[in-house]
Amino acid sequence: MADVRSMCAIGLRGQLGLRGGLPWEGRKEPEFSADVARFFALTRGHVLLVGPATKSSIPAFAYADRTVVGIRSGDDPASVIAAFPDRVVYVGGGPAVWKSYAPLIQHWDITRLPYDGEADRWFDPAWLTAA
């Protein structure tokens, strides 16, 4: 069975996204740079299941040392994950993806960043206890 995890960063009020990207995209402060580096370090060698917008934002270098799989809203989450037995599988891609996959996620790794600005996508704490 796969070890299913999710890793995300949220702003001070739970902000996740803005216009299809990260609300803090391009910020150079150490906390933001460290979060991106940590994401790529921890997902190295593992499977990364992502929605279309997230997949389009993954840099080319990341494909060399992780298995990146695009997922769609019509996919059955259990079937997608079953394709990767005995692997660590990270689920990413925003609210629609997390709402569908939350009942299967065994470990949430959430970083709170010092961002308190605009957003149009928000983290839902109910995902943490979905069954």
Side-chain angles (χ1 to χ4, degrees), residues 2 12 21-22 53 62 64 69 85-86 102:
L12 296 174
L22 297 172
V69 178
D86 304 318

Side-chain angles (χ1 to χ4, degrees), residues 5-129:
R5 305 175 185 188
S6 189
M7 181 183 305
C8 67
I10 61 175
L12 296 174
R13 293 178 291 121
Q15 301 98 316
L16 272 176
L18 179 62
R19 294 185 282 280
L22 297 172
W24 45 84
E25 192 73 40
R27 302 267 305 252
K28 302 296 183 194
E29 294 97 317
E31 303 87 27
F32 298 98
S33 299
D35 180 63
V36 172
R38 183 174 178 273
F39 175 83
F40 286 116
L42 291 178
T43 61
R44 185 175 292 119
H46 301 301
V47 177
L48 185 56
L49 303 179
V50 293
T54 301
K55 187 172 185 202
S56 69
S57 73
I58 296 174
F61 78 83
Y63 286 82
D65 51 12
R66 63 193 46 74
T67 304
V68 179
V69 178
I71 54 177
R72 307 291 298 183
S73 59
D75 295 341
D76 173 54
S79 297
V80 172
I81 290 169
F84 304 99
D86 304 318
R87 298 278 311 267
V88 174
V89 176
Y90 282 92
V91 178
V97 170
W98 284 316
K99 183 177 181 183
S100 296
Y101 283 78
L104 302 170
I105 295 171
Q106 300 156 332
H107 176 81
W108 287 88
D109 184 329
I110 303 168
T111 301
R112 177 146 303 175
L113 293 173
Y115 174 84
D116 199 23
E118 187 182 1
D120 56 17
R121 300 286 186 270
W122 301 85
F123 186 83
D124 184 349
W127 299 330
L128 301 174
T129 58

